[in-house]
């Protein structure tokens, strides 16, 4: 058994993940040699065949596990490995009907929640090449009929509250991952259908004799909150891949959705003048030139006749107007007539004896075709470095990199030892080397994993459009969910909101605020605006500025204002409400300090019932963000018209509660640990070894260590008098008192010590702790708040205390402050906001739990005051 939810209800088996085993497909045809090994997925070596060995390093976290996997060719011949499969089963959840998040391979691929039915992945009707633009595999495996497919990761659960499960790869550019999902059998009396989740790591490369190759780490977790599972997964993924998440909030103007390929120099300069004239009304920092300027696809330093003075002139004009300059390119594509392919025909990926076709666009070449380029060729890699060095040298510090999937398509590369993910990663890293560390790189049309740690921003959905649905004369069957449409873009904004500031800055694509030269109705434009704003992602508008009236300019300004506020939290503040719901209404909620902002958007074509607008059972609507809502918002009708959104803002409506550890956090020393090191070193060492191997839990360790400890009240008083409080301890007490914020110390230490420390230092606080009484000079201890359902094993379970407080005060935002990985970890996992240092901080990093680092409690007070003091109104 890999993972068990620690918190269970008496009438339900513990939801858990069980190991099914390990599989491998070897040989050039991917499935010519298949092997399956039943295994508990334990750490160590697993022999899958005479040649192939797999090694697992595993870190278990009670309710989650991370498996780091390495494969090796133990034979004397080269071995082609198609894929490695790690199999899990989710059971014990008591659910017979499931929904799941189907995640797409690249930016534009369909991403959304749906039913885990028995049909499985629907057949793609338009061929392997087109499917391969939006999926990792152009042709699904024949043995996966009846299975659903989700790329990189998947989350499965049921409508409403209840247990859920996540399985995913922490992709870093080594391999792509596909999660295959299938529910178990049905029948009379079946109350639970176990779910099989096989994660397939696509290698598709040859290993030399003796070669070892690390693959992507695999994350598996169970819990009661899909948002928390996704957020911790993304936080951990970002750490594994070195995510770039610190760029400032991005606000800009883009030429594409107004001018498309028709853009010319005079249109760009005219809009630049308009942006300068309305600078006080339209708060943007960036002007980005999109498709339409280039001589041809592939020759990015040369312009066509519409831009007679070249790119350097464009960048100079943008920068002189006080904006950052941005440029669009397709780095891994070239047309047949390009100078690049004419001079270097071997730089293209191969499809048999011809170039691999990457896309078709009648505006891009004489015959409409462009071809995918090969980043495994050193000369092409150097060309990328020099091209982007030149563009940044001209002044284009913002690079929009489009159609990036082409480098990862299923074509033949010059170096067959590199996986397709490695190929894409190599190309992106070359662009970063050329652009330099300070340039802002935006990925678009990009497979997600290989870009984490290289790009600063990522398009997280298909293109928006000046229409709600796909508006094209011919739609190829199967492609509609990926084609430009505002509704599809909003769906992806909602489902991928958790990635923001954990993997990169989310790019929800462009806002179109205009009411002229568009097929979007005003309420549809406001729905797009609301989704962009409440998600806290990038804001890039794409209108002819001269077409906008005062109200439309005000809409842009309001999106920028609200988006910048929501983006201000370090790890993103936005969550999807009821992710497994079946309604056509998508709901987002963002929390910044005491403020709550919600948006309901009806993506369907008929009216639907909206949910309550208040943040909780006792909360109330404080204000409506009228600029982002439909005109009939004020009637608060529960029915939401088709394509309409409602935004509500609850300023100061969320109260705060603070829980703080004592030993080593509120005080400078850990009382128990220090006494044990000084007076009980041998017993402490022996008991700690038993604790580390799981023979005893944390309370049993403390009981065996201290019960009967001969250290009387007088000696203890002298010792306690020498322990100082943290320099910010009184500051925290005073801040909470001044702002009427409940503060409680949660300690796995002892009540006697906390009582005496309050007297010694003249400070007062509420607390929960274990009990210490004296039998003469001997200690007699007992637990203060034991919780057998939590895997912390402590005498005072901080998780259960926090969860009880949350149940009594559902609208409160709960803060936990701590420093130790044993007693503080479960409290940190239960809190909304976490401050951590020392071993707790290291442990939370390993678990993917977002937190604020601190040195003293003064740092905590400064952060709380910045986020809550001014906005709370107290």
């Amino acid at each position: 058994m890999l993972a068990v939810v620690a918190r269970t209800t008496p009438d339900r088996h513990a939801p858990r993940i069980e190991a099914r085993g390990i599989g491998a497909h070897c040989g050039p045809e991917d499935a010519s040699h298949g092997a399956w090994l039943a295994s508990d997925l334990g750490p160590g070596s697993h022999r899958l065949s005479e040649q192939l060995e797999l090694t697992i390093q595993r870190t278990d976290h009670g309710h989650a596990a991370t498996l780091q996997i390495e494969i090796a060719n133990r034979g004397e011949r080269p071995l082609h490995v198609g894929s490695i499969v790690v199999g899990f089963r989710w059971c014990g959840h008591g659910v017979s009907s499931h929904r799941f998040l189907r995640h797409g391979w690249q930016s534009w691929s369909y991403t959304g929640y749906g039913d885990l039915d028995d049909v499985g992945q629907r057949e793609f009707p338009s061929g392997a090449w087109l499917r391969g633009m939006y999926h990792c595999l152009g042709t699904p495996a024949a043995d996966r009929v009846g299975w659903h497919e989700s790329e990189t990761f998947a989350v499965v659960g049921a409508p409403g509250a209840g247990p859920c499960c996540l399985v995913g790869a922490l992709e870093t550019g080594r391999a792509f991952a596909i999660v295959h999902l299938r529910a178990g059998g049905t029948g009379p009396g079946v109350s639970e259908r176990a779910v099989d989740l096989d994660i397939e790591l696509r290698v598709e490369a040859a290993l030399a004799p003796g070669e070892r190759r690390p693959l992507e780490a695999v994350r598996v977790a169970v819990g009661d909150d899909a948002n928390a599972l996704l957020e911790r997964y993304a936080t951990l993924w970002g750490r594994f891949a070195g995510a770039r998440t610190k760029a400032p909030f991005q606000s800009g103007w883009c030429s594409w959705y107004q001018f498309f390929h028709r853009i010319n120099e005079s249109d760009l300069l005219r809009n630049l003048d308009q942006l300068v004239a309305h600078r006080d009304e339209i708060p943007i920092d960036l002007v980005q030139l999109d498709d339409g300027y280039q001589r041809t696809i592939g020759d990015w330093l040369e312009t066509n006749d519409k831009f007679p003075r070249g790119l350097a002139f464009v960048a100079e004009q943008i920068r002189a107007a006080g904006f950052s300059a941005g440029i669009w390119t397709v780095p891994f594509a070239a047309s047949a007539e390009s100078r690049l392919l004419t001079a270097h025909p071997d730089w293209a990926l191969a499809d048999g004896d011809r170039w691999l076709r990457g896309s078709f666009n009648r505006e891009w070449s004489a015959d409409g075709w462009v071809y995918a380029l090969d980043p495994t060729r050193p000369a092409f890699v150097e060309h990328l470095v020099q091209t982007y060095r030149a563009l940044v040298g001209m002044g284009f510090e913002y690079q929009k990199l489009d159609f990036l999937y082409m480098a990862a398509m299923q074509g033949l590369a010059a170096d067959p030892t590199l996986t397709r993910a490695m190929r894409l990663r190599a190309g992106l890293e070359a662009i970063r080397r050329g652009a330099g560390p300070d340039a802002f790189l935006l990925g678009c049309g990009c497979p997600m994993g290989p870009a984490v740690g290289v790009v600063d921003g990522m398009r997280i959905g298909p293109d928006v459009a000046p229409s709600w649905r796909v508006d094209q004369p011919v739609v190829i069957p199967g492609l509609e969910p990926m084609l430009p449409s505002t509704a599809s873009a909003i769906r992806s904004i909602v489902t991928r909101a958790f990635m923001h500031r954990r993997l990169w800055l989310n790019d929800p694509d462009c806002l179109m605020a205009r009411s002229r030269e568009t097929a979007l109705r005003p309420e549809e434009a406001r729905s797009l605006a609301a989704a962009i704003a409440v998600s806290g992602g990038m804001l890039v508008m794409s209108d002819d500025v001269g077409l906008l009236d005062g109200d439309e300019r005000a809409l842009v300004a309001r999106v920028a204002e609200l988006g910048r506020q929501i983006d201000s939290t370090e790890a993103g503040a936005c969550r999807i409400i009821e992710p497994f719901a079946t309604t056509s209404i998508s709901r987002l909620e963002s929390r910044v300090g005491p403020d709550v902002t919600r948006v309901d958007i009806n993506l369907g074509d008929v009216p639907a019932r909206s949910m309550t607008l208040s943040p909780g059972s006792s909360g109330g609507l404080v204000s409506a963000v009228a600029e982002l809502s439909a005109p009939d918002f004020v009637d608060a009708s529960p029915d939401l018209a088709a394509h309409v959104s409602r935004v509500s803002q609850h300023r100061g409506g969320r109260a705060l509660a603070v829980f703080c550890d004592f030993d080593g956090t509120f005080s400078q020393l850990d009382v128990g640990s220090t006494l044990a090191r000084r007076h009980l070193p041998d017993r402490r060492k022996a008991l700690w070894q038993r604790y580390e191997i799981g023979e005893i839990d944390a309370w049993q360790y403390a009981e065996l260590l201290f019960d009967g400890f001969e250290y009387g009240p007088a000696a203890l008083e002298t010792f306690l008098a020498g322990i100082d409080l943290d320099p910010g301890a009184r500051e925290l007490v005073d801040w909470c008192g001044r702002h009427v914020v409940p503060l409680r110390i949660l300690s796995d230490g002892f009540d006697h010590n906390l009582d005496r420390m309050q007297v010694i230092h003249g400070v007062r606080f509420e607390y929960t702790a274990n009990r210490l009484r004296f039998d003469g000079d001997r200690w007699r201890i007992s637990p203060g708040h034991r919780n057998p359902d939590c895997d912390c094993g402590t005498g005072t379970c901080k998780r259960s205390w926090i969860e009880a407080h949350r149940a009594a005060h559902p609208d409160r935002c709960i803060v936990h402050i701590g420093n130790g990985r044993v007693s503080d970890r479960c409290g940190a996992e239960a809190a909304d906001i976490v401050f951590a240092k020392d071993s707790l901080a290291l442990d939370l990093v390993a678990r993917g739990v977002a937190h604020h680092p601190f040195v003293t409690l003064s740092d905590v007070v400064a952060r709380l005051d910045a986020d809550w003091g001014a906005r709370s109104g107290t």
Side-chain angles (χ1 to χ4, degrees), residues 722-758:
I723 296 179
D724 290 329
L725 298 182
D726 180 275
R730 285 188 176 84
E731 192 178 350
L732 177 63
V733 172
D734 292 345
W735 188 92
C736 289
R738 189 167 62 253
H739 291 276
V740 200
V741 169
L743 168 66
R744 191 175 193 89
I745 300 296
L746 296 181
S747 175
D748 203 35
F750 301 103
D751 55 359
H752 174 89
N753 300 337
L754 272 66
D755 288 337
R756 298 309 306 155
M757 290 289 280
Q758 290 185 76

Side-chain angles (χ1 to χ4, degrees), residues 666-718:
F666 198 85
S667 66
Q668 291 196 15
L669 281 181
D670 185 316
V671 173
S673 179
T674 304
L675 287 174
R677 283 197 303 270
R678 291 182 183 180
H679 301 286
L680 304 167
D682 294 337
R683 190 191 305 179
R684 173 182 176 273
K685 182 178 180 180
L687 289 171
W688 186 256
Q689 289 174 345
R690 294 177 64 187
Y691 171 78
E692 288 281 83
I693 64 174
E695 185 178 315
I696 57 176
D697 66 20
W699 172 250
Q700 292 166 333
Y701 166 85
E703 191 173 35
L704 291 169
L705 183 63
F706 285 121
D707 199 52
F709 176 40
E710 193 168 352
Y711 196 77
L716 182 56
E717 183 78 6
T718 301

Side-chain angles (χ1 to χ4, degrees), residues 2 73 79 87 267 292 474 668 683 718 726 751 759 771 838 842:
L2 285 181
N73 179 2
L79 175 66
D267 287 331
V474 176
Q668 291 196 15
R683 190 191 305 179
T718 301
D726 180 275
D751 55 359
V759 173
R771 290 181 288 276
D838 302 338
L842 295 175

Side-chain angles (χ1 to χ4, degrees), residues 533-651:
V534 178
S535 74
M538 296 167 53
L539 165 64
V540 180
M541 60 176 295
S542 192
D543 296 298
D544 189 331
V545 181
L547 293 178
L548 301 181
D549 61 26
D551 289 342
E552 290 158 355
R553 293 193 294 272
L555 176 64
V556 177
R558 187 67 181 102
V559 173
E561 176 190 4
L562 184 57
R564 193 182 299 272
Q565 174 191 348
I566 290 169
D567 178 59
S568 64
T569 58
E570 287 187 9
C574 186
R575 280 186 157 191
I576 182 173
I577 303 175
E578 297 181 350
F580 297 113
T582 58
T583 177
S584 65
I585 293 184
S586 290
R587 310 180 69 218
L588 283 176
E589 177 179 274
S590 289
R591 300 186 171 203
V592 179
D595 300 339
V596 179
T597 304
R598 283 186 171 178
V599 58
D600 289 14
I601 305 173
N602 185 0
L603 296 178
D605 295 328
V606 297
R609 181 58 52 96
S610 181
M611 305 295 285
T612 176
L613 296 172
S614 66
S617 58
S618 62
L621 179 64
V622 175
S623 65
V625 187
E627 300 93 332
L628 301 181
S629 297
D632 63 352
F633 171 80
V634 293
D635 68 11
S637 166
D639 289 327
L640 200 57
H643 313 173
V644 167
S645 63
R646 285 180 177 154
V647 182
S648 58
Q649 195 165 53
H650 311 257
R651 291 194 179 277

Side-chain angles (χ1 to χ4, degrees), residues 96 118 183-190 192-193:
S96 61
D118 296 328
T186 61
V190 173
E192 174 181 300
R193 300 183 69 189

Side-chain angles (χ1 to χ4, degrees), residues 398 442-443 457-461 505-510 537-538 540:
Y398 176 102
L442 173 68
M458 176 65 77
R459 172 75 71 74
I460 44 87
L505 275 66
N506 276 5
D507 171 22
D509 206 12
C510 292
M538 296 167 53
V540 180

